[in-house]
Amino acid sequence: MSRSHYAGIDVGGTFTKIGLLNRQGRLVAKGQIPSDGFSDKKIFANHVKDALVRLCRAHGLRWGDIEGIGMGLPGPVDTDRGMVLSLTNIKKWERFPLAASLGAVWGKSVFLDNDANCMALAEARLGAARNARTALCVTLGTGVGAGLIIEGRIYHGPFFLGGEVGHIPIARGPECACGGAGCLERYVGNSAILDRAQRLLGPKITLEKASALACRGDSKAKRLWRETGEMIGWALSGVVNTITPEVIVIGGGVAKAGSVLIDAISETIQRHAMKQLKKKVCVKKALLGNDAGLIGAALLVKS
Ligand SMILES: [Zn+2]
């Protein structure tokens, strides 16, 4: 029974999720701990290891049963050197050889990647894009995260920023934190959708309520999500024409708006992409939900 499981860690600004994946790709255990004090790498290493050991014990496993540990981080990662390039929530981790350092302390191989890339890997191996060799996974939230899977593997590119479709410019629009302007994220990030929702549906609306209203058939709420989907579809048509993904997976909280959003993305791609490609590409809702990042982090061990 030795080395029968992979551990995943999904590091967030407020909470860090941990989980154990068996060889069949099933998440057999999960938990979470507060990310307080994680700027201190010693505190991080100790707290996360303790939590993982407890999780192992609670499921009849020993530390020795863990083959390796994968970790998803909310920022770009130099996967060749196992090094975080930039993080907004956790200070002092940048350009530090985190994978090697944690690996030495924990006595395990440690693999790092960006959290959106982890989600994409999980959806490509076990979720909505299973069996697709080339897939794009877009995660809608405060920002627009994305991961690109090419020939079954995460595409990082030479600067570890491959697949960042959230920063495709779609208009001569406002400046973006990435250094560009008019990026897709400025139009379909949560705060931009909320601004439009408040104009259409009143000042007290939330995105959850707007999703629920759309699911019940409210015409203004449906218009909100249809317009959001059209902007995403417009940007992704260019991705379809260049990368030729077989599947585009849409995940994140906003995807709860359901078929109206997914249909608008799909129909816009049908209007704008090359005719040979629009018949091939399929837009799907993410399958693995909030566990995708954790599952994908664990999958880094064997990817
Ligand atoms: Zn941007």
Side-chain angles (χ1 to χ4, degrees):
M1 196 44 194
S2 90
R3 305 208 178 253
S4 53
H5 288 69
Y6 311 100
I9 305 169
D10 186 7
V11 181
T14 316
F15 285 100
T16 290
K17 296 182 203 164
I18 55 169
L20 303 172
L21 201 74
N22 69 12
R23 285 191 177 278
Q24 288 71 48
R26 196 165 68 82
L27 190 64
V28 295
K30 63 176 176 172
Q32 66 174 29
I33 53 174
S35 302
D36 299 337
F38 279 4
S39 293
D40 184 326
K41 294 181 271 293
K42 254 190 194 158
I43 290 181
F44 175 84
N46 292 337
H47 283 199
V48 172
K49 185 178 174 186
D50 289 349
L52 276 172
V53 167
R54 282 198 303 275
L55 198 65
C56 284
R57 274 203 206 116
H59 290 83
L61 296 166
R62 291 163 300 140
W63 185 244
D65 294 325
I66 304 299
E67 180 170 331
I69 300 173
M71 197 154 101
L73 292 146
V77 171
D78 178 337
T79 49
D80 290 346
R81 294 187 176 86
M83 192 184 267
V84 184
L85 294 176
S86 73
L87 273 185
T88 45
N89 289 325
I90 302 171
K91 307 290 176 205
K92 300 186 207 160
W93 282 22
E94 285 95 349
R95 307 210 71 85
F96 177 80
L98 192 64
S101 163
L102 291 171
V105 179
W106 290 341
K108 302 282 176 195
S109 299
V110 175
F111 304 86
L112 314 183
D113 212 320
N114 167 263
D115 52 9
N117 285 347
C118 291
M119 288 179 206
L121 184 64
E123 290 290 346
R125 294 275 164 87
L126 302 165
R130 188 159 44 179
N131 302 326
R133 291 171 67 187
T134 301
L136 173 70
C137 179
V138 182
T139 309
L140 302 166
T142 311
V144 176
L148 190 56
I149 303 293
I150 293 183
E151 300 300 330
R153 300 177 69 86
I154 299 169
Y155 176 76
H156 296 100
F159 314 113
F160 307 102
L161 287 166
E164 288 290 351
V165 301
H167 298 282
I168 293 175
I170 61 164
R172 288 174 189 269
E175 286 185 3
C176 178
C178 76
C183 296
L184 178 65
E185 181 171 297
R186 292 301 310 261
Y187 296 90
V188 302
N190 280 356
S191 63
I193 301 174
L194 189 61
D195 280 351
R196 285 190 296 114
Q198 287 172 338
R199 282 200 297 273
L200 271 170
L201 297 156
K204 288 191 179 156
I205 195 75
T206 62
L207 293 186
E208 296 225 321
K209 279 187 201 161
S211 294
L213 279 173
C215 291
R216 290 206 298 271
D218 179 274
S219 62
K220 282 183 184 169
K222 281 168 77 176
R223 183 178 146 201
L224 171 76
W225 294 115
R226 199 171 51 245
E227 287 174 357
T228 303
E230 283 168 1
M231 287 187 275
I232 298 168
W234 171 270
L236 295 190
S237 297
V239 179
V240 168
N241 288 351
T242 47
I243 309 290
T244 68
E246 298 158 86
V247 180
I248 294 175
V249 181
I250 306 293
V254 165
K256 284 191 190 122
S259 60
V260 59
L261 179 76
I262 303 290
D263 290 351
I265 296 171
S266 184
E267 285 160 20
T268 308
I269 290 172
Q270 293 300 313
R271 270 200 303 281
H272 294 285
M274 291 165 71
K275 60 177 185 286
Q276 300 95 322
L277 299 174
K278 63 174 96 179
K279 293 183 203 127
K280 307 275 187 195
V281 65
C282 180
V283 181
K284 293 182 176 177
K285 199 173 158 186
L287 266 186
L288 302 174
N290 290 335
D291 291 335
L294 193 56
I295 293 170
L299 288 172
L300 293 175
V301 179
K302 58 171 188 172
S303 70

